[in-house]
Amino acid sequence: MKKIVHILISAAAVLALTILNYHSAAAKQTTKVLYISPTGNDVNTCTFSAPCKTFNRAQSLAVAGDTIQASGTFAPINITKSITVRGGTYDGAGQSESICVKINADNVTVDGVTALNCTSHGIISFKANAIIQNSTVKNSVLENASRQMNGGWASCIKGERGSVNLTVRNNLVENCYGEGIAITMTLGALVEGNTVIDAYSVLYYVDNSPNVIVSGNYGTCTGNSLFNRGTSRPMGIALGEEYYSGWGTQLHDINISSNTIQGCEKGIIAFGSIGVLRNITISRNTIPTGIVKSIVLDGASNSNVLIEYNNYFNTPWINSSTGVTMVGNTIIGEAASPTPIGPAASATPTSISPGQSANEVRVSSGNDDVEESAAGWMYLDSTDLELIHDSDNQIVGIRFNGVNIPSGATITNAYINFAVDETASAATSLSIQGEVSPNAAAFTSADRNVSSRARTANVVSWAPASWLTLGAYQQLEPRTRPARDRQSGWLD
């Protein structure tokens, strides 16, 4: 509500001038919507009925506070005025501009846009008070699609040096060959309600930035090897303090709360390169699954770090407990989950002696159950095995070490049990072969390390029932056959 103070004066001319000035100020606050469409024309004035064709034409007509409403697909854009950009798809395929949506003005809102096939960043802000919301970035940071970069890769959504009071909310990032959402050299940010599915190295990254809240987000590392760093899955949420000229060390006052992170190498990690991890709260997060650790504090110095009321799949790793307080945290999932078949199962193989009736052997090493993508990349440390579709059809290798069947024994019944950890109803048809080796070597990260091995001529076909019940077992049909040399299993 505006409060208008009326001052009684005797000069009518001055009163008239005051009224004119008031109306002039009101006129400046009027905003408009400019429309763009690939079927429009840049001779138009960007109205709903006569849209312009390009973003640049609409931006040239816009003033602070205006909205550009886009419908259709456009080339990458550079926002240089304090406006709202709503809707539209910005596709970097075949374009010389490497960043799909660039924010180069204060007080910009990007709402409901889609960025695709960006060579570098999907959406990035360099200015103050930007809001990036309800938007989607997919298949981007293609500069690192072959994972050849040693560092310096871009992010699908990013706050960069110059960004102040940034809001990143309710966005979707998927299949990102850089960081999913990164806050770098940003003075204050709120990252909330976002979803990141598969990003290279880390899903959410707070890098040398103070006063950042990361809350209510979801992240999952599905095990797609295209986003692994070496053989390791991405991190979920990471804190870092990388060096930037003229910036110093400014990572402090970070709140990480009420996020759900699953399937990643480490759920939440503060890197050891941070000088002093200070004023950090990690609260009420859920990390039900992961590869190595739920929470990791790798640094040697901590000050006022609080880890409270989190639910996670295993005990955190804390390099130095000084300055760290832990309250009300709970380890979840271990008792309720089926016994895993894979790297997490560490049963000691037993030997069969004559007259013994049974022998149960589990996979005992992370290099003994692996996935090979259609392109030949190896994934050694997955928490589960996709039989066989995971983005594309793959080959799965399983090695049972230390079976120790004595000479002259007869195998009367042999089978493999698989525990269901993800439900699926699609029809599945599998072919199983053995490796022609008396003592198969552990799998390695070398390309095509499964498919390049010599296989048996015999093939067993298996069409398992739909995988509908979590924790249930599916059993590869028993077969009766004479004893043979120890062989590793194949599924393809």
Side-chain angles (χ1 to χ4, degrees):
M1 177 181 294
K2 294 182 179 178
K3 295 182 179 180
I4 302 176
V5 180
H6 296 278
I7 302 176
L8 297 177
I9 56 177
S10 59
V14 175
L15 178 60
L17 180 61
T18 302
I19 294 172
L20 288 173
N21 284 341
Y22 173 79
H23 285 297
S24 175
K28 289 182 180 178
Q29 294 174 4
T30 301
T31 62
K32 61 181 178 293
V33 178
L34 300 106
Y35 296 87
I36 60 173
S37 167
T39 59
N41 193 317
D42 277 354
V43 302
N44 296 334
T45 54
C46 306
T47 63
F48 178 77
S49 57
C52 296
K53 185 178 181 65
T54 65
F55 174 85
N56 287 342
R57 167 61 174 166
Q59 184 166 237
S60 71
L61 300 176
V63 297
D66 284 352
T67 295
I68 295 178
Q69 179 72 53
S71 177
T73 300
F74 304 88
I77 60 174
N78 183 18
I79 305 169
T80 58
K81 293 183 177 180
S82 301
I83 59 176
T84 294
V85 178
R86 182 171 290 123
T89 296
Y90 303 91
D91 192 339
Q95 302 292 327
S96 59
E97 174 54 57
S98 62
I99 299 174
C100 283
V101 178
K102 192 183 301 182
I103 299 174
N104 263 318
D106 294 340
N107 305 310
V108 167
T109 295
V110 172
D111 186 4
V113 311
T114 298
L116 299 175
N117 306 316
C118 313
T119 301
S120 182
H121 305 284
I123 304 172
I124 186 170
S125 172
F126 299 94
K127 297 295 182 177
N129 306 318
I131 299 174
I132 303 169
Q133 63 185 14
N134 306 319
S135 296
T136 298
V137 181
K138 289 187 177 183
N139 193 44
S140 290
V141 194
L142 297 179
E143 63 188 2
N144 193 41
S146 60
R147 299 166 298 170
Q148 82 288 357
M149 297 181 71
N150 294 322
W153 47 78
S155 311
C156 277
I157 296 179
K158 187 169 190 176
E160 181 56 272
R161 189 194 297 239
S163 187
V164 179
N165 190 30
L166 172 66
T167 298
V168 181
R169 67 158 69 97
N170 300 336
N171 302 286
L172 169 65
V173 172
E174 190 170 3
N175 294 349
C176 180
Y177 294 95
E179 293 108 353
I181 295 176
I183 306 299
T184 299
M185 294 182 289
T186 295
L187 299 177
L190 172 63
V191 180
E192 66 173 358
N194 303 281
T195 295
V196 178
I197 303 172
D198 285 335
Y200 184 72
S201 188
V202 60
L203 305 186
Y204 298 89
Y205 187 30
V206 180
D207 176 18
N208 208 343
S209 299
N211 304 310
V212 177
I213 297 173
V214 181
S215 180
N217 302 282
Y218 174 77
T220 183
C221 304
T222 68
N224 187 339
S225 59
L226 290 175
F227 304 98
N228 288 354
R229 190 171 180 181
T231 59
S232 298
R233 288 195 188 189
M235 309 296 179
I237 299 172
L239 303 181
E241 200 170 53
E242 297 183 34
Y243 171 78
Y244 300 99
S245 178
W247 186 255
T249 56
Q250 298 200 49
L251 181 79
H252 60 82
D253 293 279
I254 310 297
N255 186 298
I256 302 172
S257 62
S258 303
N259 304 283
T260 297
I261 302 295
Q262 62 181 23
C264 299
E265 189 77 7
K266 297 167 185 174
I268 298 172
I269 179 171
F271 292 126
S273 57
I274 298 170
V276 179
L277 189 66
R278 52 198 169 105
N279 301 340
I280 309 295
T281 297
I282 301 173
S283 175
R284 302 183 186 278
N285 301 281
T286 299
I287 311 171
T289 60
I291 306 301
V292 178
K293 280 292 182 180
S294 57
I295 295 175
V296 173
L297 305 184
D298 256 345
S301 182
N302 305 296
S303 175
N304 192 29
V305 176
L306 175 62
I307 302 175
E308 63 170 4
Y309 303 112
N310 301 280
N311 295 316
Y312 39 54
F313 69 92
N314 63 10
T315 305
W317 157 256
I318 299 174
N319 185 31
S320 173
S321 60
T322 302
V324 179
T325 300
M326 297 186 66
V327 178
N329 301 286
T330 303
I331 296 178
I332 60 172
E334 292 185 341
S337 298
T339 301
I341 297 177
S346 56
T348 302
T350 58
S351 297
I352 288 181
S353 58
Q356 189 172 356
S357 60
N359 183 22
E360 180 180 308
V361 178
R362 297 177 184 172
V363 171
S364 58
S365 167
N367 287 359
D368 284 340
D369 59 347
V370 300
E371 297 168 323
E372 178 185 311
S373 73
W377 289 316
M378 298 299 300
Y379 184 22
L380 301 185
D381 52 4
S382 174
T383 54
D384 61 5
L385 295 175
E386 306 294 338
L387 303 179
I388 56 174
H389 187 77
D390 188 5
S391 299
D392 51 29
N393 286 341
Q394 59 185 5
I395 297 173
V396 171
I398 305 173
R399 177 177 180 262
F400 296 99
N401 189 33
V403 177
N404 299 327
I405 301 172
S407 177
T410 298
I411 300 174
T412 59
N413 192 24
Y415 57 86
I416 302 175
N417 269 343
F418 295 91
V420 179
D421 77 334
E422 296 178 32
T423 60
S425 59
T428 303
S429 179
L430 306 172
S431 298
I432 295 89
Q433 292 175 275
E435 179 180 350
V436 182
S437 170
N439 191 10
F443 297 107
T444 73
S445 60
D447 286 355
R448 304 192 184 281
N449 190 247
V450 177
S451 60
S452 63
R453 298 186 179 208
R455 315 187 197 192
T456 60
N458 292 335
V459 179
V460 174
S461 297
W462 184 36
S466 297
W467 311 78
L468 299 180
T469 304
L470 290 175
Y473 285 94
Q474 295 273 40
Q475 187 179 103
L476 175 57
E477 295 178 14
R479 300 280 175 173
T480 300
R481 62 185 66 187
R484 296 184 184 274
D485 291 333
R486 288 167 287 169
Q487 296 174 331
S488 63
W490 288 76
L491 291 171
D492 64 0

